[in-house]
Amino acid sequence: MLFTADHDEPRRILQKFIASDINPHVEEWEKAGIFPAHELFKKLGDLGFLGLNKPVEYGGQGLDYSYALMMAEELGAINCGGVPMAIGVQTDMATPALAKFGSDELRKEFLAPSIAGDYVACIGVSEPSAGSDVASIKTTARSDGDDYVINGGKMWITNGTQADWICLLCNTGDGPMHRNKSLICVPMKTKGVSIARKLDKMGMHSSDTAQIHFDDVRVPKRNRIGEEGKGFTYQMVQFQEERLWGAAACIKAHEKTIQNTIEYTRSRKAFGKPLLDNQVIHFRLAELQTEIELLRSLIYRAAEAMLAGEDVTGLATMAKLKAGRLGREIPDACLQYYGGMGFMNETLVSRSYRDSRLTSIGGGADEVMLGILCKMMGTLPGRQ
Ligand SMILES: Cc1cc2nc3c(=O)[nH]c(=O)nc-3n(C[C@H](O)[C@H](O)[C@H](O)COP(=O)(O)OP(=O)(O)OC[C@H]3O[C@@H](n4cnc5c(N)ncnc54)[C@H](O)[C@@H]3O)c2cc1C
């Protein structure tokens, strides 16, 4: 069994923290278009939530992946998608490769303060001209003695305006596209790093998203995670945690949307009876709840496989794909049953409708997930 009585205490602490220190501020942060990452992450770091499954030598709790999954699920109780996503970037998107493949020195310098909540991290993969096609990124890190000199730019970077460091994927050689890349930890205060602009988004309003430029940015080679040329492979490993996180964070969020819709349609009357009493509505909500339960089972199965040391590429990809599909289906169906109120910004379902749309795009679009699965199934053209 994935969760035991040992998960109850951290789960309860996190639920309490979300209710007392996050949800009361969400409206203000959504309006401001940003949340105070340093302040919030410090509190989460002090509670041990930024390193549940990270090594104890660097301040982590040294627990297994089931605890990280428990946290991703609980973050779905936050009344927006932006804040959970920013936390997920810190714990499950920008730091897994560093924790697994980084040198001791590098982990002390970047991982330990990220686990403590003293540093805010971001992950730099996507570029203006390459998102789905990760291998085609253009940012380069040229070797110059003991340093790399970085030039290029990254796009749509979550936490980008507040981050202390970026886990940067760039080309460190001219060889084959999958073997010429490295992941490098770059402090955002380094000369030559600039925030080109804070991006204006349709959803995820409380999360800051940046376009970042790198002009002759000099960092020591010791800032490279693991071996030179292995960055693409490390990032593909890192994506497995990102995709499972993205799927797990949807579960509670969608359940909450369904529960809110039940309450609203029970209280709203049309044609002499509550809207909920229409079979077409309560049957549809039951069907959507079933879909959530199926997604949950798939994610738990992937987590169990990960705990058993198995490759979870297929299951994590399916979970991300299914979460993306449900992220469009559930808020859309629920918003419909709110009628005009669903179209109002003051109603949470409209925020969920906007925020959930990202699941089908970020961390690899649905079509990229399908491509990975087809490759595994041997159904891509020209493959037997
Ligand atoms: C709010 C937000 C936050 C983000 N945060 C980060 C971050 O922190 N770090 C980071 O590195 N990136 C981040 N991203 C970028 C995100 O990962 C990319 O947007 C995503 O990978 C898609 O890349 P793209 O936008 O370049 O789309 P493109 O590659 O231009 O693709 C456009 C569309 O074409 C379709 N498509 C693509 N390939 C295929 C194919 N082979 N077959 C059929 N159809 C296809 C898909 O529908 C896709 O959505 C973020 C994006 C957003 C919007």
Side-chain angles (χ1 to χ4, degrees), residues 128-182:
S129 63
S132 303
D133 188 5
V134 173
S136 296
I137 58 160
K138 299 276 180 298
T139 300
T140 55
R142 181 175 47 81
S143 169
D144 184 24
D146 290 337
D147 295 339
Y148 284 121
V149 178
I150 301 168
N151 280 287
K154 294 289 168 180
M155 187 68 175
W156 305 295
I157 304 306
T158 301
N159 296 344
T161 73
Q162 307 193 69
D164 297 285
W165 67 280
I166 184 165
C167 175
L168 188 76
L169 185 71
C170 46
N171 298 309
T172 42
D174 299 321
M177 289 164 115
H178 299 100
R179 293 203 296 273
N180 71 341
K181 297 181 177 31
S182 300

Side-chain angles (χ1 to χ4, degrees), residues 121-128 139 150-168 186-190 192-199 208-215 217:
C122 64
I123 171 76
V125 175
S126 308
E127 300 187 353
T139 300
I150 301 168
N151 280 287
K154 294 289 168 180
M155 187 68 175
W156 305 295
I157 304 306
T158 301
N159 296 344
T161 73
Q162 307 193 69
D164 297 285
W165 67 280
I166 184 165
C167 175
L168 188 76
V186 180
M188 293 292 281
K189 286 209 174 94
T190 316
V193 179
S194 58
I195 310 297
R197 59 190 171 121
K198 178 171 175 279
L199 300 162
D208 57 303
T209 313
Q211 180 174 4
I212 304 172
H213 286 165
F214 301 86
D215 297 303
V217 175

Side-chain angles (χ1 to χ4, degrees), residues 85 89 93-94 121-134 154-160 166-167 169 199 201-204 207-210 235 239 242-243 320 328 355 357-358 360-371:
M85 176 172 72
V89 164
M93 302 180 204
C122 64
I123 171 76
V125 175
S126 308
E127 300 187 353
S129 63
S132 303
D133 188 5
V134 173
K154 294 289 168 180
M155 187 68 175
W156 305 295
I157 304 306
T158 301
N159 296 344
I166 184 165
C167 175
L169 185 71
L199 300 162
K201 311 186 294 299
M202 73 170 258
M204 298 291 197
S207 154
D208 57 303
T209 313
Q235 184 51 39
F239 268 143
E242 167 164 350
R243 288 169 184 162
K320 165 72 170 60
R328 292 151 82 171
D355 290 357
R357 189 62 184 83
L358 182 62
S360 272
I361 298 171
D366 287 359
E367 291 79 1
V368 171
M369 298 305 105
L370 289 167

